[in-house]
Amino acid sequence: MKSKSPRHSIEDLVTLKWMLGALMGLVCITTLFNINGYNRIPAIVSTTVIIFALFRPALIAKVPQVVWKGYAIAIIPLVMVNVISKDTIPALLDLNTWLILFRCLNHNKRREEMQLALLCLFLIIMTGVLTATLVFGIQLLAFAALAVAYLVVNTALEMKAEGDYELLERIRSENRLNAGKALRSTLEGSFILQAIIMFASMSFLAAIVFLAIPRIDMEDKVNLFNMQSKQTLSGFTDRVELGEVTDIKNDNSIALRVDVPENAEVPVEPYWRMLALDKYENGAFSLSPDLVELQNSPLASPYHSVRYWPDRRFAQAPSNIDRDKWTFFLEPEVSRYLPVIGTFEHMTVDSLSDLTVGPHMHSFAFKDINTKMVSYQIEGVDLSGTVPDVPANSYPRFLSKLLSQENRRGYGNYPQTLLAMPEEEGARSVFEGIAKEVADGRALSPLEFAREASIYLWDKHRYSMTVSLPKQSGGISDPVARWAQSDLPGHCEFFAASFVLTARAAGYPARVVTGFKGGTWNPYENYFMVRNADAHAWAEIFDGQGKWIRVDPTPGSYMPALESATQPVSQQYGEANSSAFLDSLRLLWYRRIVNYDEATQREAAVQLKDFFLAYMQVAENWAVKVGEYLYLWATAPWSVWRILYMCFLASLLVAAFVIQRNMALNLRELVLAPFRRGDPIRRKAGKLLSRIELAGAQSDFARKVIYDLQRLRFGAKEMWPNPRLVFKAARRLR
């Protein structure tokens, strides 16, 4: 015998179950769009089909079972391409996507419903390991709500149909799915209130579990989830190539966020340094083979950094020293090189085994391009604008002595590459002539030469994001030399390259540096937003005393100096628009959720303990004050007015009690009446009828009470007996 509950029909529950299953699968599949470097074709196809099915469920219901069986077999070749290419993660994601699509459109039995829920849960877990965006957090909440509703509806349908799956399949095949009617059946106060309470309870328990469970680095424990990318979205590489025609496009997407300590000093014009390039050949700067070999050797491990920097530490946890800590959040596929600001004393990364250190170029990089947001932290930051050279007693010994004149034109080993000039005689003559004009016969220090050379470039060239080189003349094909001898505008790479080659022609070791310059201050959460459009190239010149001085020869930059101008964080101004507000929400997500580690967990536990102790102290003080007040009130002398006042309060309480006893509805029922559908008197009469029938009362008095309750439940209001008296009599039977 099927359930006769009039609240939801079987047709409504079948429709709700089918819609919730499709929506749950749709939300899970759309999380794949957050993964960078992933082939989204299966996700796009599956999303399109599910959306179509939601609007035309009748067509999906008419698909014969033989088609579904053929689709299940066809999934195998769809994922075999990734399996053959040994791409484990894409193969698993594609397999899960095709299976979810299959189960979303074809789930009738209890076993199939559980399969859909587990497949969706597995895909959510995998996506959560591979991405860390705010959008995924919103999708996760949506999935949780849909999953709870899906399981509740399935349970209700199981009770209603009593396991008659043929009836459920017949309802679907006969196109008896009415989405509008099913949704209207849920729009009642009690149903919505129950759903809200259930979701809030689940969210509260999830928050407690998130705060309490030990932190586990899934990527370190399970190497399966290390998905690799083969290229960067921003175009950052270890090579700067200057061509005939250059047209730089502005990309205003965020590449880096830098969380600045409170009350810290920040540069007026920050430079986020990534990589220095020493070798020049045929119009391109790159890393010399020596440095590439060193970068790929075991000596590049941060565990060997003490060989180069005895006072610098790399670790997987912050230090216990009380000093400013700058936290960097690097977006996916920007670069494998980590932007840093100045020098530092301590760097914290998630995994030291994934970090490589290039001490001679003062660069820090991951072995592979990150496919999801990564965070790292530096402490003890020096904002002077200089970086240290490798000490002379380190291994290998590079700048331990002055370079000889004959090495300046060679493309040999490092550090000879720091003085290497173009191979063309005409190109070398161009930069040697500029160097003589800049020095003007004076013996200049590296810093003085940098200032004079910057002024020369500023006077001769203006800045432009579009560059077209003049035609070759005088046998000069080198693009930098052709630009330097002209008065054409140029972008930062031409200015930096021209300065470096001019400095080398004058005998000063120099190199090109790439990274970001500037950034927009976000006043909502006090951090820098660095965009891809802030990508920049500048130069560094060796001072001969163990330091590299930053030189930005691009017009509009500050004059080279040993100390950079700084200002307090409180004096920073920036964007306060809706875009900045939304981005601040992303940073909060990264700070509080994605970057929630063991140290943050301990800090949260201490804050929670302090909160409860403070709350207990407040409660204790309040209890003491209330006790003192009651004691003073009880021991105070009783006057006539005080006796009359207490009698008045007592009479009010008695009157309220009497009125409540003479009302048909109690206080709770009166409060909840506006939130419930239907007449509250009829609803209460129905509940009392059910209870009396369960009690099995058979006396004449019981039959009369049942008759009166039935009149209140089903009769016209004009024929109602006194509800208060009927309910009072019914309570006597319970």
Side-chain angles (χ1 to χ4, degrees):
M1 176 179 174
K2 308 292 185 295
S3 172
K4 296 186 170 99
S5 173
R7 177 174 293 179
H8 302 292
S9 65
I10 292 184
E11 288 81 1
D12 292 342
L13 291 176
V14 170
T15 305
L16 285 175
K17 184 203 76 167
W18 194 86
M19 290 177 58
L20 288 171
L23 288 173
M24 186 171 64
L26 181 64
V27 169
C28 290
I29 292 174
T30 54
T31 60
L32 296 173
F33 294 107
N34 299 312
I35 302 176
N36 294 289
Y38 169 67
N39 180 19
R40 297 185 173 93
I41 293 178
I44 294 173
V45 172
S46 300
T47 300
T48 304
V49 173
I50 293 176
I51 292 175
F52 174 79
L54 284 170
F55 286 97
R56 301 296 299 272
L59 295 179
I60 304 298
K62 293 179 180 179
V63 175
Q65 286 297 318
V66 65
V67 175
W68 295 118
K69 293 179 180 179
Y71 171 79
I73 298 174
I75 291 176
I76 299 175
L78 289 175
V79 299
M80 281 303 296
V81 176
N82 289 326
V83 174
I84 294 173
S85 61
K86 298 181 179 180
D87 289 335
T88 308
I89 292 298
L92 283 175
L93 294 176
D94 290 349
L95 176 62
N96 208 350
T97 302
W98 296 124
L99 289 175
I100 288 176
L101 175 62
F102 173 69
R103 264 300 157 244
C104 272
L105 306 179
N106 184 32
H107 60 281
N108 299 315
K109 299 181 180 180
R110 187 71 170 177
R111 181 183 68 256
E112 296 169 348
E113 296 161 358
M114 293 299 102
Q115 287 175 359
L116 174 60
L118 291 175
L119 286 170
C120 291
L121 181 61
F122 182 67
L123 185 60
I124 281 284
I125 293 174
M126 288 189 64
T127 309
V129 174
L130 297 172
T131 187
T133 63
L134 176 61
V135 175
F136 173 75
I138 297 173
Q139 291 170 324
L140 182 61
L141 287 176
F143 166 76
L146 290 171
V148 170
Y150 180 73
L151 295 177
V152 169
V153 169
N154 277 334
T155 302
L157 185 60
E158 188 81 11
M159 296 174 61
K160 179 90 60 177
E162 296 183 352
D164 191 350
Y165 295 108
E166 294 182 359
L167 171 64
L168 304 181
E169 180 61 27
R170 190 163 58 251
I171 292 174
R172 279 198 60 198
S173 60
E174 293 175 0
N175 191 21
R176 290 157 62 183
L177 303 181
N178 190 329
K181 180 175 177 294
L183 290 175
R184 284 193 299 272
S185 70
T186 64
L187 297 179
E188 63 175 53
S190 60
F191 185 85
I192 296 176
L193 183 62
Q194 291 173 9
I196 292 174
I197 292 175
M198 185 177 297
F199 181 72
S201 302
M202 182 196 67
S203 301
F204 178 72
L205 291 175
I208 293 177
V209 171
F210 175 79
L211 292 172
I213 62 174
R215 301 293 97 192
I216 299 175
D217 190 346
M218 183 67 72
E219 293 181 1
D220 285 346
K221 304 300 181 185
V222 185
N223 192 49
L224 173 69
F225 293 106
N226 287 329
M227 193 172 179
Q228 299 180 0
S229 177
K230 298 178 177 60
Q231 62 181 4
T232 65
L233 295 178
S234 63
F236 266 115
T237 63
D238 52 4
R239 184 179 177 87
V240 172
E241 192 162 357
L242 299 134
E244 296 286 332
V245 179
T246 308
D247 187 9
I248 298 177
K249 304 296 184 183
N250 266 330
D251 180 6
N252 288 318
S253 60
I254 301 294
L256 175 71
R257 296 174 181 84
V258 184
D259 200 359
V260 180
E262 189 177 356
N263 301 323
E265 290 285 325
V266 297
V268 175
E269 193 173 43
Y271 286 80
W272 315 99
R273 191 182 186 282
M274 296 175 69
L275 178 64
L277 306 173
D278 62 310
K279 180 184 176 182
Y280 180 76
E281 186 176 13
N282 299 327
F285 277 92
S286 61
L287 278 176
S288 59
D290 281 349
L291 296 182
V292 173
E293 183 180 357
L294 178 63
Q295 195 175 51
N296 296 327
S297 72
L299 290 173
S301 169
Y303 297 106
H304 290 279
S305 63
V306 68
R307 185 189 300 271
Y308 312 106
W309 300 308
D311 58 345
R312 192 175 301 194
R313 294 291 179 269
F314 295 85
Q316 295 181 181
S319 70
N320 296 324
I321 303 175
D322 185 14
R323 55 190 174 190
D324 290 343
K325 295 179 174 63
W326 295 59
T327 305
F328 293 70
F329 299 93
L330 185 64
E331 286 294 306
E333 299 189 349
V334 172
S335 173
R336 73 185 190 92
Y337 294 96
L338 305 183
V340 295
I341 184 165
T343 61
F344 53 86
E345 298 178 10
H346 187 102
M347 173 179 273
T348 304
V349 295
D350 287 337
S351 176
L352 289 178
S353 60
D354 293 333
L355 183 69
T356 62
V357 178
H360 307 98
M361 294 291 108
H362 200 267
S363 63
F364 313 92
F366 290 127
K367 294 179 181 178
D368 300 297
I369 301 170
N370 59 303
T371 57
K372 69 175 184 177
M373 190 280 301
V374 295
S375 64
Y376 53 98
Q377 191 176 79
I378 59 176
E379 307 173 26
V381 178
D382 179 10
L383 303 174
S384 63
T386 62
V387 296
D389 184 48
V390 175
N393 60 352
S394 64
Y395 175 81
R397 298 184 178 182
F398 283 161
L399 290 185
S400 58
K401 58 182 180 179
L402 199 61
L403 298 175
S404 58
Q405 180 72 25
E406 58 269 18
N407 287 328
R408 295 182 185 176
R409 297 181 183 179
Y411 297 102
N413 299 328
Y414 186 89
Q416 283 80 14
T417 50
L418 293 170
L419 284 174
M421 296 292 293
E423 190 173 19
E424 294 177 347
E425 186 65 33
R428 291 197 300 271
S429 300
V430 170
F431 294 110
E432 288 170 355
I434 296 175
K436 289 179 181 179
E437 186 177 348
V438 169
D440 195 20
R442 296 169 293 174
L444 302 176
S445 67
L447 181 59
E448 292 170 340
F449 181 85
R451 290 172 176 171
E452 295 296 332
S454 297
I455 294 173
Y456 173 86
L457 291 172
W458 295 347
D459 291 341
K460 193 172 181 180
H461 303 274
R462 61 182 178 84
Y463 180 80
S464 175
M465 297 177 68
T466 302
V467 179
S468 296
L469 294 179
K471 294 181 179 179
Q472 297 183 19
S473 62
I476 300 176
S477 62
D478 186 271
V480 182
R482 288 159 55 196
W483 181 83
Q485 69 178 355
S486 71
D487 58 355
L488 293 174
H491 52 72
C492 58
E493 292 176 351
F494 274 101
F495 282 96
S498 297
F499 172 84
V500 168
L501 295 179
T502 301
R504 291 179 178 183
Y508 302 98
R511 58 195 186 188
V512 169
V513 182
T514 60
F516 297 96
K517 175 185 176 181
T520 305
W521 183 254
N522 190 308
Y524 292 104
E525 289 295 326
N526 295 334
Y527 66 96
F528 282 105
M529 299 183 297
V530 183
R531 293 180 167 85
N532 284 306
D534 297 322
H536 191 54
W538 61 95
E540 287 178 345
I541 189 169
F542 186 59
D543 68 352
Q545 300 177 5
K547 288 186 178 181
W548 291 88
I549 303 172
R550 181 174 62 228
V551 181
D552 191 352
T554 305
S557 304
Y558 284 92
M559 191 67 71
L562 295 176
E563 295 291 336
S564 299
T566 61
Q567 63 184 9
V569 169
S570 57
Q571 296 182 12
Q572 288 288 111
Y573 297 96
E575 296 181 358
N577 50 29
S578 58
S579 176
F581 176 73
L582 291 176
D583 195 78
S584 68
L585 296 180
R586 295 188 185 95
L587 183 70
L588 280 174
W589 169 258
Y590 291 151
R591 273 184 191 164
R592 306 303 181 191
I593 306 299
V594 178
N595 213 34
Y596 186 79
D597 54 11
E598 188 176 352
T600 311
Q601 189 180 37
R602 288 195 298 267
E603 182 181 351
V606 171
Q607 292 177 350
L608 192 63
K609 182 191 72 172
D610 293 341
F611 169 77
F612 279 112
L613 290 178
Y615 179 80
M616 293 298 295
Q617 185 64 41
V618 170
E620 182 181 352
N621 294 337
W622 181 82
V624 170
K625 290 181 180 180
V626 170
E628 292 176 351
Y629 174 80
L630 292 176
Y631 175 77
L632 293 175
W633 177 83
T635 57
W638 287 76
S639 62
V640 176
W641 290 109
R642 188 181 183 191
I643 295 174
L644 292 176
Y645 176 71
M646 295 304 298
C647 292
F648 174 72
L649 290 180
S651 61
L652 286 180
L653 291 175
V654 172
F657 177 77
V658 171
I659 292 173
Q660 171 63 38
R661 292 293 295 175
N662 288 314
M663 292 175 63
L665 302 176
N666 57 36
L667 183 60
R668 183 183 65 84
E669 292 166 341
L670 287 173
V671 172
L672 295 178
F675 303 99
R676 292 176 171 176
R677 189 172 59 180
D679 189 279
I681 298 295
R682 294 186 186 275
R683 184 184 302 108
K684 186 171 183 177
K687 290 182 178 180
L688 291 174
L689 275 172
S690 300
R691 292 172 182 174
I692 293 174
E693 289 176 356
L694 289 175
Q698 299 295 329
S699 63
D700 294 339
F701 177 74
R703 284 192 287 271
K704 181 180 183 307
V705 171
I706 291 174
Y707 174 72
D708 290 339
L709 287 173
Q710 289 174 342
R711 291 171 61 191
L712 291 175
R713 181 71 178 89
F714 305 107
K717 290 187 177 182
E718 297 80 9
M719 304 297 295
W720 276 5
N722 189 326
R724 181 184 65 81
L725 298 177
V726 175
F727 293 158
K728 182 178 180 180
R731 284 195 293 269
R732 292 170 56 188
L733 292 176
R734 289 163 54 188

